[in-house]
């Protein structure tokens, strides 16, 4: 908080802005079940692959549209938010429900309680926890005692409108990215099974059964000049390794070493920089191998399916399957094949405790191989889609950063909106939640 109150603001606590609601389902008809996460209040189906509610849900709390949910046991990392659904639902009895008070703008309250500095306060107030610092709890009565600075209602509304305009831009950018991704999926499915000629391509029935590595279901015919082959026949498969962490000299160097920390970089067409590097000793005393530029690196654990192309010599940890393409296979084409195989990766991970695809599976992977020039054209089309998606994602990240920085300044009073902007919100009736 500021040492000096902004003019017109008052010092208060969160309980001055919101009030707890005690409303149980009882014997009423069953409602949709929600979870309270760091993403906010969302359908339970988006968090778990099955319903995890107990048989007796009579004590579950009812939450109405516009109200807020709070998870005490996960509040320390930001499990709080506003319910944006259109009909009442229920949340676990372990959660809390609250609503904004009459002199509080709900959008302002939503922005305030999700600020990073507020989440830091929740953690400071948390109690308990195991050795890993988890299972801590922040009781609702502690949450509502947090000190805040409270602007007049018209200024709250003006701040909400300003932040809301950026949220609208963020939502539109996210929607645009999804539309481009959908267009790419539709285009690449056709290109990766029929090629550049598409429906005009003369076809033949596949002589070999397509078992692993399928681009799509139900493909029985391919262009006459294509072949279905085992991938290791046209590309060399290499794994990686992690040098001994206990040997500092192994990590003293500038050799790029791709690890799970490089997920963002692996989402781009090429990768040249890594979060960690190793030294010559680390390379010499481990099973890590120096791989040439043009190697297609595929993540096989955690975020399975991320695929990029090394723009220079690099090595990787054991969490990647690396492919050095032979003379009949274009790296850009292989990258697009991997990026289009999201459903296949999910199928191949089935049954694993952790997201993981074993190296033996990759040795049996099959791939459609068009003539080299056609591979290059297909790769170029896919890369054009990806470059546009990368550009929009970069733009989205900037908008998100701007919104976070602006919220921090406006909600602390360090930045004030012009009175002419605030004036438009005076003498307005309270908006519905």
């Amino acid at each position: 908080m500021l040492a000096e109150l902004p003019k017109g603001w008052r010092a208060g606590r969160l309980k001055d802005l919101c009030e707890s609601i005690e409303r149980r389902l009882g014997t009423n008809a069953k409602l949709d079940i929600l979870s309270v996460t760091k993403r906010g209040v969302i359908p339970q189906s988006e968090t778990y692959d099955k319903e995890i509610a107990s048989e007796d849900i009579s004590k579950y709390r009812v939450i109405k549209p516009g109200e807020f949910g709070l998870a005490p046991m996960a509040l320390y990392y930001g499990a709080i938010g506003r319910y944006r659904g259109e009909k009442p639902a229920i949340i676990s009895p372990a959660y809390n429900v609250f609503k904004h008070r009459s002199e509080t703008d709900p959008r302002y309250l939503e922005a305030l309680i999700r600020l990073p500095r507020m989440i830091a306060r929740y953690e400071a107030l948390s109690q308990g926890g195991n050795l890993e610092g988890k299972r801590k709890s922040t009781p609702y009565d502690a949450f509502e005692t947090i000190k805040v600075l409270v602007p007049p209602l018209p200024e709250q509304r003006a701040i909400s409108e300003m932040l809301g305009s950026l949220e609208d831009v963020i939502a539109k950018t996210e929607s645009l990215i999804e539309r481009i991704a959908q267009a790419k999926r539709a285009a690449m499915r056709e290109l990766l099974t029929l090629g550049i000629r598409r429906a005009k391509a003369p076809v033949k029935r596949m002589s070999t059964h397509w078992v692993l590595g399928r681009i799509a279901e139900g493909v029985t015919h391919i262009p006459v000049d294509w072949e279905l082959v085992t991938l290791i026949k046209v590309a060399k498969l290499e794994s990686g390794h992690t040098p001994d962490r206990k040997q500092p000299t192994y990590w003293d160097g500038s050799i790029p070493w791709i690890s799970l920390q490089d997920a963002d970089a692996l989402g781009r067409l090429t990768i040249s920089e890594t979060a960690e590097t190793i030294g010559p000793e680390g390379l010499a005393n481990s099973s890590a191998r120096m791989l040439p530029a043009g190697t297609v690196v595929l993540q096989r654990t955690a975020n399975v399916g991320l695929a990029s192309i090394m723009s220079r010599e690099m090595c990787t940890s054991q969490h990647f399957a690396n492919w050095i393409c032979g003379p009949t296979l274009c790296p850009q084409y292989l990258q697009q094949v991997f990026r289009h195989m999201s459903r296949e990766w999910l199928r191949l991970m089935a049954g694993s405790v952790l997201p993981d695809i074993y190296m033996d599976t990759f040795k049996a992977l099959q791939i459609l191989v068009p003539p080299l020039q056609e591979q290059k054209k297909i790769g170029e089309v896919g890369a054009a889609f990806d470059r546009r998606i990368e550009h929009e994602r970069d733009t989205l990240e900037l908008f998100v950063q701007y919104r976070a920085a602006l919220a921090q300044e406006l909600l602390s009073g360090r930045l004030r909106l012009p009175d002419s902007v605030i004036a438009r919100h005076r003498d307005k009736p309270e908006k519905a939640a």
Side-chain angles (χ1 to χ4, degrees), residues 223-286:
V224 294
D225 52 355
W226 289 31
E227 296 297 334
L228 177 66
V229 302
T230 305
L231 181 53
I232 57 173
K233 292 183 177 180
V234 292
K236 183 180 181 183
L237 174 61
E238 294 276 5
S239 184
H241 192 258
T242 302
D244 191 346
R245 293 279 186 183
K246 296 178 181 178
Q247 300 295 330
T249 57
Y250 289 5
W251 299 86
D252 184 14
S254 57
I255 299 173
W257 181 74
I258 301 174
S259 68
L260 295 180
Q261 297 183 56
D262 296 305
D264 289 343
L266 289 165
R268 295 183 175 272
L269 286 169
T270 61
I271 180 169
S272 59
E273 302 296 333
T274 56
E276 291 187 276
T277 56
I278 64 174
E281 285 190 50
L283 185 63
N285 291 280
S286 74

Side-chain angles (χ1 to χ4, degrees), residues 170-305:
I170 289 171
K172 289 177 180 177
T173 306
E174 290 173 335
S175 177
L176 175 60
I177 292 171
E178 179 56 31
R179 291 199 302 273
I180 297 171
Q182 288 176 356
K184 183 194 174 185
R185 284 193 291 270
M188 295 308 293
R189 185 201 184 282
E190 194 169 23
L191 289 171
L192 291 169
T193 54
L194 290 174
I196 298 297
R197 293 164 291 179
R198 294 180 288 183
K200 295 181 180 180
V203 298
K204 64 181 179 182
R205 177 174 288 276
M206 285 195 295
S207 59
T208 305
H209 185 51
W210 199 353
V211 180
L212 296 177
R214 292 172 294 186
I215 294 297
E217 297 292 335
V219 178
T220 59
H221 291 72
I222 58 175
V224 294
D225 52 355
W226 289 31
E227 296 297 334
L228 177 66
V229 302
T230 305
L231 181 53
I232 57 173
K233 292 183 177 180
V234 292
K236 183 180 181 183
L237 174 61
E238 294 276 5
S239 184
H241 192 258
T242 302
D244 191 346
R245 293 279 186 183
K246 296 178 181 178
Q247 300 295 330
T249 57
Y250 289 5
W251 299 86
D252 184 14
S254 57
I255 299 173
W257 181 74
I258 301 174
S259 68
L260 295 180
Q261 297 183 56
D262 296 305
D264 289 343
L266 289 165
R268 295 183 175 272
L269 286 169
T270 61
I271 180 169
S272 59
E273 302 296 333
T274 56
E276 291 187 276
T277 56
I278 64 174
E281 285 190 50
L283 185 63
N285 291 280
S286 74
S287 298
R289 297 181 180 89
M290 207 66 172
L291 303 169
T295 298
V296 180
V297 53
L298 175 71
Q299 188 162 329
R300 66 181 187 89
T301 63
N303 295 309
V304 175

Side-chain angles (χ1 to χ4, degrees), residues 112-187:
L112 178 65
I113 60 177
R114 292 180 66 83
L115 278 177
R117 61 178 171 85
M118 292 296 288
I119 295 173
R121 290 290 297 128
Y122 307 151
E123 183 170 17
L125 292 170
S126 62
Q127 304 169 2
N130 56 21
L131 293 177
E132 289 78 30
K134 299 179 180 179
R135 301 187 182 278
K136 296 185 291 186
S137 181
T138 312
Y140 182 81
D141 57 2
F143 162 79
E144 65 179 3
T145 63
I146 294 175
K147 294 180 179 180
V148 292
L149 298 180
V150 185
L153 183 57
E155 191 165 358
Q156 292 180 33
R157 290 172 173 168
I159 291 172
S160 298
E161 183 181 65
M162 179 66 68
L163 296 178
S165 63
L166 268 176
E167 288 168 357
D168 289 343
V169 173
I170 289 171
K172 289 177 180 177
T173 306
E174 290 173 335
S175 177
L176 175 60
I177 292 171
E178 179 56 31
R179 291 199 302 273
I180 297 171
Q182 288 176 356
K184 183 194 174 185
R185 284 193 291 270

